Amino acid sequence: MFYINDQFYSEQDLENRWRQLADNDGFNECRRLAVVTEDLFEWLAVALFCQRRGRSVAPIHPDTPKAGALEKARQLQCDGLVWQLAENIQRLTLDKQAADDRASGTLIQFSSGTTGAPKRVERRWSEIATEIEHYNRALDFEDDVVPVVACPVTHSYGLICGVMATLARGQTPHIVSGWNPKYLIRILSGYRKPVLYSSPTFIKALIDLWPADRPLYGVMTSGSAMPTRWFRALSQMTAQLWQQYGCSEAGCVAVARDPAESGIVGQPLGHCGIVAGTSSEQPGEVVVLQGERHIHTRDSGYLDRQGQLHFCGRLDDTIVVSGLNVYPREVEDALTDHEGIHDAVAFKVQDALAGERIGVFYTGDANLSETEVRRWCAGRLARHQWPSWVRYREELPRLPNGKISRRQLSRQYGQGGEAVQGQGAA
């Protein structure tokens, strides 16, 4: 069925747990369950039980105190809270409006929060089944491929693409919790054809330690575009590289196999369509078409002549300098080409004359002045793309999911003048 770290769980183990859940009257009375547990097997048992029985389930971060978990469960209109173990059920009384509005048979999650406060997202299991069918068809993995899922299995990427899609193919996923690169290397090295599911940040840490003389069979990335230098290094050390693109409301909608550039995220899957810009000079908002639904992603991108989607960035993150658009990833790629800069994030800061200008945090071995950074950029970027506010940091400020919220950085450090410099000093 699946591995979690060094422990194998068989289909019989799962069925035994499901039988216990079905015999629990308190559990059976609930149709929308919020789950707080540190036990990944417990979480997957409950989630897969709800999937098969047409119930709704919502993961809540295991570090959440019980009072906070109860409040979140009520916000999600759940009628039960699973606390650590499925035997520990707390029934919740909902007001009539919430009770009437709640749906059944859904996966309930919060969006990532990179562009504002996280919002509730619900997707029906039938929609997820359709996504998995077309996702697996696009991947066309060989029978002996083993997905190694080194990302949270409470999020759509790890749960649906990493675990559920693998089980639907009749294969055995290997889930790795925590983040220990040496342990992950040992797990990957134990398989002939492993495909690592993880985020760009964690993949970068892994490739820094991976033996240079041994190619890694496969890597799947998602969540954000990988800096070009990271992408090149990863392409050289992997036999196969996939990049996938999606959003909370629609799940995975595109997959690229061995893309030529870090921004290429592939052609739309068979169950959906994509509308975007027409070129790198004329990108537009990426809109996902699913039947009569038009899902506005607030991402910027374009479709090339082969129908492949190129991801440019978030519309909200675009920096307008003297009337000219600057995409943060272009600035970040130029900076990370410097051998002394390991990672960078560009974001907008306000300017009384230019309207907006470019602020940058970076990590690495070099502690460069703003003048040195601009001199480096002069040979790689147009003048309006040069950063005017630069700060070195030992590590970049990331959200718990590994992503960076440029909107949050702009709010914290982007008000202009002395206040920006005072807040942004590292």
Side-chain angles (χ1 to χ4, degrees):
M1 200 72 182
F2 51 77
Y3 281 92
I4 298 177
N5 298 324
D6 293 326
Q7 177 68 47
F8 177 70
Y9 294 92
S10 67
E11 187 169 354
Q12 188 61 53
D13 292 327
L14 201 58
E15 289 179 356
N16 289 342
R17 193 69 185 106
W18 287 347
R19 194 174 298 112
Q20 293 170 345
L21 297 178
D23 290 341
N24 185 313
D25 291 338
F27 189 94
N28 272 327
E29 291 172 1
C30 298
R31 290 295 174 266
R32 287 171 64 92
L33 287 156
V35 181
V36 179
T37 180
E38 296 178 353
D39 187 326
L40 290 184
F41 174 71
E42 190 74 8
W43 154 246
L44 289 173
V46 174
L48 294 172
F49 181 91
C50 289
Q51 178 197 28
R52 294 203 176 186
R53 297 297 183 90
R55 302 189 193 181
S56 296
V57 65
I60 296 177
H61 196 281
D63 290 343
T64 307
K66 191 168 185 178
L70 285 167
E71 180 57 31
K72 281 192 174 182
R74 291 190 180 95
Q75 292 174 8
L76 296 171
Q77 300 175 352
C78 292
D79 56 4
L81 173 66
V82 175
W83 183 255
Q84 303 306 337
L85 295 173
E87 287 83 357
N88 300 331
I89 294 284
Q90 181 158 344
R91 296 296 305 278
L92 302 178
T93 302
L94 303 176
D95 59 46
K96 187 177 187 306
Q97 178 76 35
D100 290 343
D101 289 346
R102 58 189 178 148
S104 187
T106 61
L107 175 64
I108 312 167
Q109 297 189 297
F110 283 107
S111 61
S112 64
T114 54
T115 58
K119 60 182 179 181
R120 188 182 83 206
V121 175
E122 294 199 38
R123 299 185 64 216
R124 293 193 176 278
W125 294 120
S126 56
E127 296 173 14
I128 292 172
T130 299
E131 174 195 347
I132 289 173
E133 176 188 350
H134 289 276
Y135 180 77
N136 283 339
R137 191 177 300 169
L139 292 183
D140 193 25
F141 277 163
E142 297 175 2
D143 292 341
D144 54 349
V145 164
V146 178
V148 177
V149 185
C151 57
V153 294
T154 50
H155 296 172
S156 293
Y157 175 46
L159 177 63
I160 297 173
C161 299
V163 176
M164 290 182 170
T166 303
L167 295 176
R169 294 193 299 269
Q171 296 173 317
T172 302
H174 195 138
I175 301 155
V176 178
S177 63
W179 180 243
N180 182 332
K182 292 183 179 179
Y183 175 73
L184 181 56
I185 288 173
R186 177 170 72 80
I187 296 298
L188 290 165
S189 300
Y191 293 109
R192 192 168 68 90
K193 292 183 179 180
V195 174
L196 172 65
Y197 275 67
S198 196
S199 68
T201 304
F202 293 156
I203 292 169
K204 170 60 168 59
L206 179 74
I207 62 178
D208 287 343
L209 297 174
W210 189 263
D213 60 344
R214 189 170 78 239
L216 180 59
Y217 176 78
V219 170
M220 175 74 75
T221 76
S222 181
S224 60
M226 186 173 286
T228 298
R229 191 170 76 175
W230 298 7
F231 176 82
R232 291 180 190 140
L234 183 60
S235 297
Q236 291 172 0
M237 63 168 288
T238 56
Q240 302 193 61
L241 173 62
W242 290 266
Q243 294 193 141
Q244 65 179 67
Y245 170 81
C247 61
S248 301
E249 294 84 353
C252 180
V253 297
V255 176
R257 179 171 181 170
D258 294 325
E261 302 172 12
S262 63
I264 297 176
V265 291
Q267 295 188 340
L269 300 183
H271 68 300
C272 63
I274 292 177
V275 175
T278 56
S279 69
S280 57
E281 290 76 29
Q282 293 184 311
E285 182 182 10
V286 179
V287 180
V288 179
L289 311 179
Q290 288 187 333
E292 297 181 355
R293 296 175 67 203
H294 290 194
I295 301 169
H296 291 260
T297 66
R298 299 298 297 162
D299 287 336
S300 174
Y302 65 94
L303 293 165
D304 63 23
R305 292 181 179 178
Q306 289 71 45
Q308 292 197 106
L309 177 63
H310 294 242
F311 174 78
C312 296
R314 295 288 301 176
L315 286 176
D316 296 336
D317 294 335
T318 302
I319 307 166
V320 183
V321 179
S322 299
L324 299 171
N325 287 351
V326 177
Y327 300 104
R329 197 164 64 85
E330 296 174 332
V331 179
E332 294 159 2
D333 279 349
L335 290 171
T336 52
D337 271 344
H338 191 293
E339 63 180 11
I341 297 178
H342 298 164
D343 201 359
V345 55
F347 57 95
K348 67 182 72 173
V349 297
Q350 299 302 315
D351 183 89
L353 297 177
E356 295 174 353
R357 53 195 174 101
I358 303 164
V360 165
F361 282 131
Y362 74 92
T363 67
D365 302 326
N367 196 340
L368 306 174
S369 67
E370 291 179 350
T371 300
E372 290 171 315
V373 169
R374 283 193 287 272
R375 187 181 300 127
W376 173 259
C377 291
R380 294 161 178 80
L381 297 170
R383 190 176 187 86
H384 69 279
Q385 296 174 304
W386 299 358
S388 59
W389 185 91
V390 180
R391 295 293 184 272
Y392 169 82
R393 295 281 290 262
E394 290 189 1
E395 59 181 35
L396 297 184
R398 296 186 181 275
L399 298 173
N401 60 8
K403 296 183 181 180
I404 289 176
S405 172
R406 294 185 179 87
R407 180 174 178 175
Q408 182 174 313
L409 291 178
S410 295
R411 189 166 56 245
Q412 290 177 323
Y413 302 100
Q415 297 309 306
E418 294 300 318
V420 172
Q421 297 181 19
Q423 291 179 43

